[in-house]
Amino acid sequence: MYTTILSVKVNTSNLRIPSAYLKHEVEIDIYAPEGILGNEKIELLLLNDGQDVAMMDFPKILQAAHQHKRNHRLVVVAIKASEDRLMEYGVAGIPDFRGRGAKAGAYTDFVIKELLPFVKKKIAMPITGKVAYAGFSLGGLSAFDIAWNHPAVFDAVGVFSGAFWWRTRDLADGYTDADRIMHALIERTSTRADMKFWLMTGTEDEKADRNKNFIIDSIDDTIDIVKALLKKGYKRNENVFYFEKVGGKHDVPTWESVMPAFLNWAFEV
């Protein structure tokens, strides 16, 4: 499926980081090209739901991403979700209507104040290129929130089948589109003007269609995120790219199939 590049071997390291903010250890996998000298443009990608990344042939994906890019080296850190995923992922400071995401602020603190310093020390060379954050489903919403709120840290964000339905009011309690948490956050706040956003859904991501417009909710909600970003002044394709995978489902094989497209767009490697 992917081109084998003999000149760039990717090594995987499994590590555990104790977190004072989350009060438990966090397991990560670091995928790093072998033989980094330090004179290359070193870039960094954080991925939520690292347990899903582990189900992909990710070393081969990353190996292929380096083809013909001799001066770029992309290091990827896959953060495995804990048993408290539904509380740690979400939008910091704004739990959903069931109280989920209540620990999203603590997870943000872990990423910014514990994980990144740990990773940079582990790499032991300056990150001179782009830094991006991405994730799948609820992990994608979390990545978007953290990147949006830390523009000095991140240059780009990727969301695969994002949980942009995340809302403050249940459908049975008079929900309207104004109750969607991330859409409202984009409307009332700002981030860096040159941030890049890569958003993906699959045409078979789900079956739900709450407004009965014959478009599944995951596509509706993601397209509305695109519209909100364009309204902010971001440019289509240059800053905002929407990828709709025909036949794509809410699963690891779909996300694996589009991962090369994300890496190529976000890092131009």
Side-chain angles (χ1 to χ4, degrees):
M1 183 177 179
Y2 304 105
T3 304
T4 299
I5 311 301
L6 298 178
S7 60
V8 180
K9 181 182 178 182
V10 174
N11 295 325
T12 307
S13 303
N14 178 264
L15 302 164
R16 289 181 178 272
I17 305 173
S19 172
Y21 294 101
L22 297 175
K23 297 179 173 54
H24 63 75
E25 286 189 333
V26 179
E27 185 179 0
I28 65 171
D29 288 329
I30 299 180
Y31 300 86
E34 190 176 81
I36 297 178
L37 300 175
N39 58 349
E40 307 93 341
K41 179 180 283 188
I42 300 175
E43 303 187 295
L44 177 65
L45 169 64
L46 305 185
L47 280 171
N48 279 338
D49 282 316
Q51 72 281 357
D52 290 339
V53 179
M55 295 171 64
M56 305 176 186
D57 192 352
F58 199 80
K60 205 167 188 179
I61 294 173
L62 189 55
Q63 191 175 344
H66 285 88
Q67 186 178 18
H68 307 310
K69 305 295 180 181
R70 301 300 179 188
N71 294 322
H72 289 251
R73 290 295 180 267
L74 174 61
V75 178
V76 179
V77 178
I79 313 159
K80 297 185 179 181
S82 76
E83 294 179 354
D84 217 7
R85 178 179 182 271
L86 289 176
M87 287 294 176
E88 294 177 355
Y89 285 178
V91 177
I94 313 175
D96 87 329
F97 67 95
R98 288 184 179 171
R100 296 171 294 192
K103 298 181 182 179
Y107 184 73
T108 298
D109 284 337
F110 159 71
V111 170
I112 300 300
K113 300 175 183 179
E114 295 177 328
L115 175 66
L116 280 172
F118 177 90
V119 168
K120 290 176 180 178
K121 184 176 180 180
K122 197 73 179 175
I123 295 173
M125 283 175 278
I127 298 169
T128 53
K130 294 177 182 175
V131 179
Y133 203 165
F136 316 105
S137 190
L138 184 54
L141 178 69
S142 169
F144 192 107
D145 179 57
I146 294 173
W148 180 270
N149 286 300
H150 294 85
V153 178
F154 298 102
D155 304 289
V157 59
V159 182
F160 299 70
S161 301
F164 289 125
W165 58 267
W166 204 244
R167 53 187 179 259
T168 55
R169 192 189 306 269
D170 194 2
L171 295 178
D173 294 330
Y175 162 88
T176 69
D177 283 350
D179 296 314
R180 293 177 298 186
I181 295 173
M182 184 50 65
H183 300 74
L185 183 67
I186 292 172
E187 287 182 9
R188 70 173 181 268
T189 64
S190 297
T191 191
R192 60 188 292 172
D194 60 345
M195 182 79 82
K196 298 183 69 172
F197 306 88
W198 190 92
L199 309 171
M200 170 267 165
T201 56
T203 57
E204 297 180 25
D205 215 272
E206 62 174 339
K207 295 185 181 299
D209 178 16
R210 61 177 180 266
N211 59 1
K212 311 301 180 186
N213 68 345
F214 302 103
I215 300 174
I216 58 175
D217 292 342
S218 58
I219 291 178
D220 258 347
D221 292 333
T222 301
I223 288 177
D224 284 347
I225 290 285
V226 171
K227 291 178 180 177
L229 292 170
L230 296 178
K231 188 176 179 180
K232 281 283 185 179
Y234 294 103
K235 296 180 181 179
R236 190 183 301 273
N237 296 326
E238 182 179 335
N239 297 104
V240 184
F241 189 88
Y242 174 60
F243 188 120
E244 192 168 293
K245 173 77 172 180
V246 176
K249 300 179 180 180
H250 199 89
D251 60 17
V252 172
T254 294
W255 302 329
E256 180 179 20
S257 72
V258 299
M259 180 62 71
F262 165 66
L263 296 179
N264 189 58
W265 188 84
F267 295 98
E268 299 174 355
V269 298

